[in-house]
Amino acid sequence: MTAQPVDPLAGDAEITALLDREQTRRRGSLQMVAAESAASAAVRAAVGSIFADKYAEGYPGHRYHGGVEVVDEVEQLAIDRARTLFGADYVNVQPLSWALANFAVYAAFSQPGDQVLSLSLKHGGHQSHGSRANLSGRWFSVVNYGVRHDTERIDYNQIRELALLHRPRILVAGGTSYSRSWDFAAMRTIADEADCILWVDAAHLAGLVVGGVLESPVPYADVVTVATNKVMRGPRGGLLLARAEHAGALGRAVYPFLQGAPAMHAIAAKAVAFAECRLPAYAEYARAVADNAAGLAAELDARGLRTVSGGTDTHIGVVEVSSLGISGREAARRLAAARIVVDKAVTPYDEAPIAEGSAIRFGSAVLASDGLRPDSMAAIADLMVQAMRTDDPMRHAHLARDVAAIGGDGPTGER
């Protein structure tokens, strides 16, 4: 008789109940938070593996602790796979998070008080690029560039003028709500003219880069930071890619300056994700991510909801909802009542308070993982608009059933 698998959480009723609730929440809903994706079963297995027990401060061949023979090979495998995947000279897989990878860039190339030039938070940037609520905005002198009023796209002439005027130590390309591709060659030229480090924060872009949808920033940047848990569908964690001459500075910035022992289970899971990113199925998924986002933006536009910059080249869409007479926060609440999960957002020149916003931000990665393709976007747009137009709980309950009917055959409801 074949032994039945044992649930290791069977003895913890409280956590098991919470896991079941999360599965229920996700099953039959549309998960459209731009920062989220759906890790594979293999990635999840590596995260929950025996490597979670191992301390391994230092780098392969130069550890503080003993018994590191196997995890040295694990980390080197992850490094080698990332180097092949991205074509980078230097790879560091140890950052415990994307934010820590970002802070490693500051630690490697600047001192407190140095100037940094980055995309404004309201125009799509990220808080780790200089928000006053974040360490970056308190320790560094941050100047922001923005998008054009007319196109809502990056103004490279403005960036050049600001770079030559302020001579920043670091020029940052990338953001968290900017939906268009970047001209990395132009950013490289500006960085060379201003004699500064070009850092590309590719947290939201890397998954589409390795899927062949977007141009890689690696040939242009001094350093690239990556969130392995976003579109890439890996574990929560960060990744550094850089030119060879920056290896020493970045290595010391990660360890011992910012963090101690790496999470070896996460590094094993990163290695798994890097291998999965080279499979033909991943390229098909990445193409679906971009096509779903573009299709949904177009469908919402056809229903009278303007997408910032007129569309998207990525998995992100920022959609203005003020024409419905509601804020972005209220729109997100109404969508959640119909089991459509998005974030509130601001538009580049938004006059609404940041806490309310005039827009929502959606992401298409989980939709693609769940097997949904562009031919489903019209139906999703219809449901979104209907949900945002009403505050009737009964109507939302009815729409939630329609949302569940759209479904998908992906893994997001799995434990």
Side-chain angles (χ1 to χ4, degrees):
M1 179 182 295
T2 303
Q4 294 298 311
V6 177
D7 184 351
L9 288 172
D12 194 326
E14 291 174 300
I15 287 294
T16 297
L18 290 168
L19 281 167
D20 289 343
R21 282 175 55 193
E22 178 65 1
Q23 284 182 281
T24 300
R25 184 193 69 82
R26 294 177 68 166
R27 189 180 296 118
S29 65
L30 295 174
Q31 299 296 309
M32 296 167 58
V33 173
E36 294 181 352
S37 63
S40 70
V43 167
R44 293 181 184 181
V47 170
S49 71
I50 195 172
F51 293 125
D53 298 335
K54 188 65 192 125
Y55 254 76
E57 286 179 296
Y59 290 102
H62 304 279
R63 306 282 193 185
Y64 177 81
H65 299 282
V68 295
E69 299 84 0
V70 176
V71 293
D72 272 5
E73 292 189 37
V74 169
E75 184 165 342
Q76 192 59 54
L77 181 62
I79 291 169
D80 292 343
R81 287 180 175 180
R83 183 178 289 120
T84 299
L85 185 64
F86 288 98
D89 296 329
Y90 170 75
V91 172
N92 192 311
V93 297
Q94 288 200 7
L96 298 173
S97 70
W98 160 44
L100 280 170
N102 289 355
F103 293 146
V105 176
Y106 293 118
F109 299 115
S110 60
Q111 295 293 323
D114 281 353
Q115 288 207 322
V116 175
L117 180 57
S118 64
L119 178 62
S120 165
L121 187 63
K122 289 191 71 171
H123 290 214
H126 188 257
Q127 62 180 8
S128 64
H129 300 167
S131 166
R132 286 294 299 170
N134 185 266
L135 178 150
S136 58
R138 298 187 186 188
W139 281 22
F140 302 99
S141 177
V142 179
V143 177
N144 288 142
Y145 57 87
V147 298
R148 292 171 56 97
H149 277 272
D150 54 351
T151 64
E152 295 176 311
R153 299 195 186 199
I154 295 295
D155 186 341
Y156 294 96
N157 290 329
Q158 182 199 44
I159 297 173
R160 181 175 182 274
E161 291 173 2
L162 290 172
L164 295 179
L165 175 64
H166 294 281
R167 299 285 174 171
R169 184 73 185 99
I170 299 174
L171 172 60
V172 188
T176 193
S177 292
Y178 183 69
S179 64
R180 294 299 186 171
S181 58
W182 289 73
D183 187 341
F184 297 124
M187 295 296 283
R188 178 73 262 168
T189 298
I190 294 168
D192 288 341
E193 285 188 78
D195 191 25
C196 61
I197 292 292
L198 176 58
W199 161 25
V200 175
D201 187 337
H204 283 276
L205 306 177
L208 296 175
V209 167
V210 297
V213 175
L214 296 177
E215 181 183 25
S216 174
V218 171
Y220 304 98
D222 289 284
V223 59
V224 177
T225 53
V226 172
T228 53
N229 54 289
K230 296 190 188 294
V231 178
M232 284 187 69
R233 303 196 294 192
R236 295 193 66 84
L239 176 68
L240 284 162
L241 311 167
R243 295 181 173 185
E245 61 263 34
H246 302 314
L250 287 166
R252 291 187 296 271
V254 174
Y255 174 82
F257 187 76
L258 283 175
Q259 59 185 57
M264 293 310 307
H265 57 307
I267 290 176
K270 290 174 187 179
V272 171
F274 299 151
E276 290 179 344
C277 285
R278 299 189 67 192
L279 299 175
Y282 183 88
E284 192 262 336
Y285 149 79
R287 184 71 263 167
V289 169
D291 289 347
N292 283 353
L296 183 55
E299 294 291 350
L300 290 169
D301 184 75
R303 288 157 180 77
L305 298 182
R306 186 185 73 87
T307 302
V308 169
S309 80
T312 177
D313 301 317
T314 66
H315 64 296
I316 295 171
V318 178
V319 181
E320 190 171 9
V321 297
S322 53
S323 63
L324 299 175
I326 57 176
S327 67
R329 180 178 182 179
E330 177 62 14
R333 187 192 70 79
R334 292 183 181 188
L335 287 165
R339 304 198 70 184
I340 301 171
V341 186
V342 302
D343 292 321
K344 64 178 175 63
V346 296
T347 60
Y349 295 95
D350 210 327
E351 296 182 359
I354 292 177
E356 295 293 327
S358 297
I360 57 170
R361 181 185 70 154
F362 72 78
S364 58
V366 178
L367 299 181
S369 289
D370 278 355
L372 295 173
R373 293 299 181 262
D375 58 4
S376 296
M377 296 305 111
I380 292 173
D382 280 336
L383 291 170
M384 291 177 71
V385 172
Q386 291 177 59
M388 288 187 285
R389 287 189 183 278
T390 183
D391 197 23
D392 180 358
M394 295 294 291
R395 180 63 178 148
H396 283 147
H398 177 78
L399 290 170
R401 290 192 289 272
D402 292 339
V403 166
I406 290 178
D409 55 7
T412 60
E414 295 177 0
R415 195 204 309 176

